[in-house]
Amino acid sequence: MPQDQRPLSTIYPVCHRLLPVALTGLDNPETLPQILADHPELIGRTPFLADLARIESVCFQLHQRPSLIPASVTTCTINPTLELIEVQWGRLPEFLGDQSLSPEPEPGMVLVYKHPHDHSVQIRTPGQDDLLALKIISEHLDSRILAAEHQVTPGQIDDIVYRGIQQGLLLAPPSTICRGPEFPHGTVTEPERFSAPTFTLQWHLTQTCDLHCRHCYDRSQRTEVSLDQGLRVLDDLYDFCRARHVFTQVSFTGGNPLLHPHFNELYQAAADRGFMTAILGNPMPRAQIEEILAIQKPVFYQVSLEGLETHNNYIRGSGHFKRTLAFLELLKELQIYSMVMLTLTRANQGMVLELAGHLRGLVDRFTFNRLAMVGEGAALASAPTDDFSDFLEQYQEMAQSNPHMGLKDNLFNLLRSRQGLELTGGCAGYGCGAAFNFVSLLPDGEVHACRKFPSPMGNIFRENLAEIYDGPQAERYRSGPDECHDCDIRPLCGGCLAVSHGFGLDVFKKRDPYCFKDTGICPEPIRT
């Protein structure tokens, strides 16, 4: 039925009920708002009906009109269905949902649009942030310039735009941190497994550390990043993530990142740019943690334990076990998400499940990484390769009743695929995420695909992050081992390049030595 033949009650359900007089025979129902505005005598005691009719007319048209929302955009843009309606009465969106409310005489605007996610029609009174978000995008304003003009942080400006996207006022382009078309899919079909919404910079601010662990990957002397260099890094990271349409996380580590002389300034600068922040460090005094909290609550604070008390203290130093447990209590008190990481070796594999049980209720997430025989870690013995699948199975079984136990190792997915269980995100959410959704930055500017083994791709003090990320060496690390190319679960596995390197294997060719996809005995390390 054409619109001009539809009854008024269909187009204007609320207005029609409130009209004090019956209006019939209109040649074009679309003219009702103007008729009510031109003839106030028709409105009676409901002087806001002309505004209300205009809102209902736009809503009806949006319901009837084919969607104008594109499937994808290349830059942040205003929702093409958005209508801004100037009104003389306030609280009209609320009144449409509840006629017991009373509109108030107050000039303003009402936003009517289809939400891009579910195509439902939204009716809202815009706040100042809504209008600012629309202005930023329509006028192509630079967040950092705007932040300086208004004496706020770029992160605050970007948050306004992000809320506009969440509310459906704006359309955002998809992440361009994506696996390339040549990347093997195997049997994994979910699109979200190949595109990352967040990019993480694991930033090793300093080599300085208050511990000297027996498996430390790197005790070399490196020039410490200065404050000015650090600020330039954060600006470069900001530009990189904006261009790739992804959120940003900076995971501060070291050494012990809190021992860097400008840690608080750099942490503040990351927060000011709207970045999520996390810390991979050691137990520290309450006062330092409260200073961090005053800037921005970290997404998580990760510490390490290497087994039960005696063995842990042998690896990390006398008294470390009790200090760490006390620190976990502090994080719990301060409501900071806590993570404990264990480096799995031949000596501590038998302690893992007992330690996990001991930490229940004390830590939010417990995981392990296999030893990479790199640096001082080369002097330790790796966990046995021939029974690794059995260990994973025992761990996974215990994890079913211990929700803090995470299935981080990529090879859990090999086990789960055999068992017909749903796959997890693996080590970094996308199997091996080296040079894909994260990179590691060392104090002297070296950028590595993964910190656990030498995997240099460039230097951020000589090249920008985009040049390094798009470079051929980064692409080689993203591609992973040739032997993994035809694996059904490649997008969520890829093994561990650092472990392969520690075994003396070519990480671009050979698969993870612990992989149990085929029968047979896994190789032992190649000692040189």
Side-chain angles (χ1 to χ4, degrees):
M1 181 184 293
Q3 178 165 328
D4 60 7
Q5 296 180 19
R6 293 180 186 271
L8 291 179
S9 59
T10 299
I11 305 171
Y12 308 97
V14 177
C15 283
H16 183 263
R17 292 199 304 269
L18 297 176
L19 278 170
V21 296
L23 292 178
T24 59
L26 289 181
D27 291 336
N28 183 358
E30 288 186 0
T31 62
L32 179 62
Q34 191 61 49
I35 290 173
L36 295 179
D38 294 341
H39 299 279
E41 69 276 5
L42 299 175
I43 294 176
R45 297 180 180 180
T46 51
F48 53 84
L49 279 191
D51 283 347
L52 197 67
R54 294 171 61 211
I55 296 172
E56 288 197 296
S57 176
V58 171
C59 289
F60 179 79
Q61 292 171 29
L62 282 181
H63 276 298
Q64 299 301 307
R65 182 186 306 158
S67 177
L68 299 176
I69 301 174
S72 181
V73 294
T74 57
T75 186
C76 193
T77 187
I78 294 174
N79 186 331
T81 69
L82 180 67
E83 298 273 358
L84 282 77
I85 304 172
E86 291 189 23
V87 294
Q88 300 303 311
W89 288 80
R91 304 185 71 192
L92 292 177
E94 295 82 358
F95 179 80
L96 280 170
D98 182 359
Q99 278 85 68
S100 68
L101 301 175
S102 299
E104 300 170 351
E106 181 182 4
M109 285 188 289
V110 171
L111 303 178
V112 182
Y113 58 96
K114 276 189 176 181
H115 200 287
H117 292 163
D118 60 10
H119 294 266
S120 60
V121 173
Q122 305 288 310
I123 311 166
R124 297 181 53 235
T125 300
Q128 289 300 313
D129 283 357
D130 295 326
L131 299 176
L132 181 54
L134 295 172
K135 179 181 176 67
I136 290 170
I137 299 307
S138 65
E139 299 181 13
H140 307 288
L141 301 179
D142 183 276
S143 294
R144 282 180 288 198
I145 295 175
L146 193 61
E149 290 174 350
H150 291 269
Q151 297 184 329
V152 296
T153 68
Q156 289 173 299
I157 298 296
D158 289 340
D159 280 346
I160 290 172
V161 174
Y162 174 68
R163 287 195 293 272
I165 294 168
Q166 291 297 100
Q167 291 160 354
L169 300 176
L170 305 173
L171 306 181
S175 164
T176 60
I177 299 291
C178 300
R179 298 292 194 187
E182 72 289 346
F183 192 83
H185 281 51
T187 57
V188 179
T189 58
E190 302 90 344
E192 62 271 17
R193 300 297 198 180
F194 301 89
S195 176
T198 301
F199 181 82
T200 297
L201 179 72
Q202 188 183 77
W203 194 0
H204 297 258
L205 289 178
T206 178
Q207 298 290 83
T208 303
C209 190
D210 46 325
L211 303 177
H212 191 137
C213 303
R214 293 178 182 269
H215 63 335
C216 185
Y217 300 129
D218 185 4
R219 297 292 297 184
S220 65
Q221 297 299 313
R222 294 178 182 268
T223 303
E224 202 160 67
V225 60
S226 70
L227 179 57
D228 286 343
Q229 287 174 321
L231 295 177
R232 290 198 296 273
V233 165
L234 293 173
D235 282 337
D236 186 12
L237 179 63
Y238 181 90
D239 290 336
F240 174 85
C241 290
R242 283 289 295 273
R244 310 285 167 139
H245 312 300
V246 289
F247 298 109
T248 312
Q249 178 174 307
V250 179
S251 294
F252 290 96
T253 186
N256 186 346
L258 275 69
L259 297 181
H260 188 281
H262 299 293
F263 172 81
N264 280 11
E265 292 98 319
L266 293 172
Y267 190 88
Q268 178 75 66
D272 287 348
R273 286 158 178 77
F275 300 162
M276 295 177 285
T277 48
I279 300 172
L280 290 73
N282 300 332
M284 298 298 287
R286 170 188 284 267
Q288 282 186 278
I289 305 306
E290 289 179 339
E291 287 178 1
I292 292 168
L293 275 179
I295 298 171
Q296 176 170 284
K297 186 176 182 178
V299 176
F300 64 82
Y301 195 119
Q302 178 178 297
V303 292
S304 295
L305 288 172
E306 307 306 339
L308 301 177
E309 184 169 7
T310 299
H311 181 74
N312 177 81
N313 290 350
Y314 167 74
I315 297 293
R316 290 191 167 265
S318 176
H320 177 268
F321 190 85
K322 284 187 169 62
R323 288 200 308 275
T324 301
L325 294 190
F327 185 68
L328 291 173
E329 292 281 8
L330 174 62
L331 295 179
K332 187 174 182 179
E333 176 190 339
L334 298 176
Q335 299 182 347
I336 298 173
Y337 190 93
S338 61
M339 296 176 63
V340 167
M341 175 64 70
L342 174 142
T343 298
L344 186 71
T345 65
R346 188 178 299 266
N348 68 9
Q349 181 172 298
M351 308 176 192
V352 172
L353 300 186
E354 186 176 351
L355 178 63
H358 188 71
L359 293 174
R360 184 168 186 170
L362 185 59
V363 67
D364 292 299
R365 185 171 175 84
F366 170 76
T367 56
F368 66 86
N369 275 331
R370 283 173 281 145
L371 173 72
M373 292 182 288
V374 175
E376 297 186 10
L380 301 182
S382 291
T385 57
D386 53 359
D387 65 352
F388 187 61
S389 62
D390 294 335
F391 168 72
L392 293 183
E393 192 166 2
Q394 294 167 14
Y395 182 99
Q396 180 179 260
E397 183 177 356
M398 183 174 176
Q400 292 176 359
S401 58
N402 289 266
H404 68 289
M405 295 173 65
L407 308 182
K408 184 175 188 290
D409 195 293
N410 285 332
L411 294 182
F412 274 114
N413 279 329
L414 180 54
L415 175 67
R416 294 176 71 82
S417 68
R418 286 184 170 185
Q419 297 172 331
L421 299 175
E422 181 181 359
L423 303 185
T424 72
C427 180
Y430 306 87
C432 177
F436 174 57
N437 65 323
F438 75 87
V439 297
S440 293
L441 174 61
L442 305 193
D444 57 3
E446 280 189 11
V447 178
H448 287 243
C450 174
R451 183 62 183 100
K452 290 172 59 183
F453 77 109
S455 48
M457 304 184 298
N459 192 298
I460 205 167
F461 298 152
R462 296 193 294 269
E463 312 159 81
N464 63 44
L465 183 56
E467 292 170 328
I468 295 171
Y469 186 87
D470 293 332
Q473 194 68 358
E475 182 55 40
R476 292 187 74 195
Y477 285 112
R478 277 195 290 277
S479 297
D482 292 341
E483 289 186 349
C484 292
H485 190 275
D486 296 328
C487 180
D488 288 345
I489 61 168
R490 173 62 186 93
L492 296 175
C493 188
C496 178
L497 302 183
V499 170
S500 295
H501 176 87
F503 272 67
L505 302 177
D506 185 335
V507 300
F508 301 120
K509 296 180 180 178
K510 297 297 183 180
R511 66 180 181 177
D512 188 319
Y514 286 80
C515 176
F516 47 92
K517 180 180 179 181
D518 304 316
T519 58
I521 297 175
C522 301
E524 288 300 317
I526 298 173
R527 299 294 186 180
T528 58

